[in-house]
Amino acid sequence: MPMMAAPRNVTPAGESPWRDIENGGGGATAAEEDLDSPSAKKPKSDKFPFNTWEFGVAVGVFFAFSTLLFFIYLTMPAAEKGHIKLPRTLSDLRTLKDNLSTYAKHHPAQFILGYCSTYIFMQTFMIPGTIFMSLLAGALFGVARGIILVVFNATAGASSCFFLSKLIGRPLVSWLWPEKLRFFQAEVAKRKDKLFNYMLFLRVTPTLPNLFINLASPIVDVPFHTFFLGTLVGLIPAAYITVRAGLALGDLKSLRDLYDVKTLSVLFLIGFVAILPTLLKRKRRSSTAILHVSYAFIIYFFLIPSPAFDACGNGRALEDLKSNSSPTIANSPSF
């Protein structure tokens, strides 16, 4: 009886013979191997994105911040405690400003401690309303001190959110914004050598929501020093706009008044100047000429404010904006 030849082993050395069975009878494709990538396109699941440990960490950090805010609240005079609430409208903000102006004047250190803790808490845990806190800084402290307060708190809160996301944020971001995360990762990968300029562009312009940038940056491997410096410098223009508008809080009719066409044009121009080195690496002369023109336009903006801020300088109401509808900016900076 003839002997049958033993079947040849086609499995590569060192590879499990069960791999083809596990992969459904065929070798793993590149798409299958990329499923673990944070930018891989996955169907959005209704499953809760955190495991028990990640959820415990989030609750613990939230509890620590809440405890600090509670002790700060206990140090306030009894007469002021009844007026404390997070503003949700401009009317709420005006009432809060009137109630806290005396306290801020007579107890500046306690007020600033409470203000900073609240701002950083809201920024860390993605609680809407930080734009009202920025307006309040302008109303109570003026432009110079207000900008310092807003930029410091916005940067500190964004950094806190960065580290929290680095620890437990990957499943949440992948669950909420899978396609936007894939886009962001591709853009970061293309600009590794000029990443600071790209971060500066994102912070100055409303291209991507700041909330998303804070959460997604550690997931796509943006170095913290680049994230920190880009945030610190990039938030200054919008902080200036918001704080200055706070000086005329009584005349402000809507948050949309903060971002009229001229203001948005200047923000995008500043962002263009920031990202220009990545677009024109070799065209030195053209790059320099465009920079000079851009700087002149930016200086013009700050010397001749837009109608949205005329009230900040001379007390006029924002009547000009009533006839011109401001565009709805879903991704407007919120600090």
Side-chain angles (χ1 to χ4, degrees):
M1 179 177 180
M3 297 188 62
M4 297 179 62
R8 294 171 59 190
N9 183 8
V10 295
T11 303
E15 187 173 320
S16 169
W18 302 103
R19 178 175 177 177
D20 287 346
I21 298 176
E22 294 168 352
N23 289 329
T29 64
E32 289 171 333
E33 290 175 352
D34 287 343
L35 286 176
D36 290 335
S37 170
S39 62
K41 187 174 182 178
K42 303 175 184 178
K44 189 171 179 180
S45 171
D46 293 333
K47 183 180 178 182
F48 190 64
F50 290 145
N51 60 34
T52 304
W53 180 84
E54 292 167 340
F55 181 74
V57 170
V59 171
V61 175
F62 185 88
F63 179 77
F65 268 96
S66 300
T67 302
L68 175 62
L69 288 175
F70 177 71
F71 280 112
I72 293 174
Y73 174 78
L74 292 179
T75 64
M76 295 184 65
E80 306 294 341
K81 291 180 181 179
H83 303 303
I84 300 298
K85 68 175 248 182
L86 290 179
R88 286 289 174 260
T89 65
L90 287 174
S91 178
D92 292 343
L93 183 61
R94 294 186 189 101
T95 301
L96 183 66
K97 181 253 182 182
D98 293 338
N99 292 330
L100 290 181
S101 57
T102 302
Y103 178 71
K105 181 178 180 180
H106 293 94
H107 304 87
Q110 293 93 323
F111 177 82
I112 290 176
L113 178 61
Y115 175 89
C116 293
S117 302
T118 304
Y119 201 122
I120 295 172
F121 174 77
M122 295 174 68
Q123 193 87 334
T124 300
F125 292 99
M126 303 158 282
I127 300 173
T130 51
I131 191 169
F132 293 113
M133 300 294 290
S134 300
L135 289 167
L136 182 63
L140 293 178
F141 295 105
V143 174
R145 289 190 296 171
I147 290 177
I148 293 173
L149 270 178
V150 170
V151 172
F152 168 79
N153 287 299
T155 305
S159 301
S160 180
C161 188
F162 178 97
F163 286 115
L164 188 62
S165 180
K166 187 178 183 68
L167 184 64
I168 62 173
R170 181 181 295 268
L172 179 63
V173 178
S174 300
W175 182 62
L176 290 175
W177 305 292
E179 295 190 8
K180 190 173 291 185
L181 181 61
R182 183 173 68 257
F183 165 79
F184 188 41
Q185 187 177 46
E187 293 298 311
V188 168
K190 287 192 300 185
R191 296 175 170 84
K192 281 292 185 183
D193 55 337
K194 296 287 186 179
L195 197 51
F196 172 75
N197 299 85
Y198 181 56
M199 290 301 299
L200 206 56
F201 171 80
L202 292 179
R203 288 304 194 186
V204 171
T205 66
T207 306
L208 286 174
N210 282 307
L211 167 62
F212 174 79
I213 297 171
N214 296 342
L215 290 172
S217 291
I219 297 173
V220 299
D221 298 323
V222 175
F224 176 69
H225 69 277
T226 302
F227 173 88
F228 178 84
L229 290 176
T231 301
L232 183 67
V233 178
L235 293 183
I236 293 175
Y240 170 81
I241 292 171
T242 312
V243 168
R244 191 168 176 215
L247 294 177
L249 190 58
D251 294 323
L252 196 62
K253 305 302 180 184
S254 168
L255 291 179
R256 293 182 181 182
D257 295 345
L258 295 175
Y259 297 99
D260 61 353
V261 175
K262 181 179 177 181
T263 303
L264 287 172
S265 300
V266 171
L267 288 178
F268 273 102
L269 182 61
I270 297 173
F272 175 73
V273 170
I275 206 172
L276 191 61
T278 68
L279 304 176
L280 299 173
K281 293 181 180 179
R282 297 178 181 179
K283 299 179 181 179
R284 301 291 184 182
R285 294 181 180 178
S286 300
S287 176
T288 302
I290 295 175
L291 280 173
H292 288 164
V293 174
S294 302
Y295 288 144
F297 189 81
I298 293 169
I299 292 173
Y300 166 80
F301 166 75
F302 285 110
L303 291 180
I304 306 177
S306 64
F309 305 112
D310 283 348
C312 300
N314 55 30
R316 294 203 310 264
L318 305 178
E319 296 298 334
D320 294 339
L321 290 172
K322 291 182 179 180
S323 57
N324 299 321
S325 58
S326 300
T328 301
I329 305 300
N331 295 337
S332 295
S334 58
F335 4 76

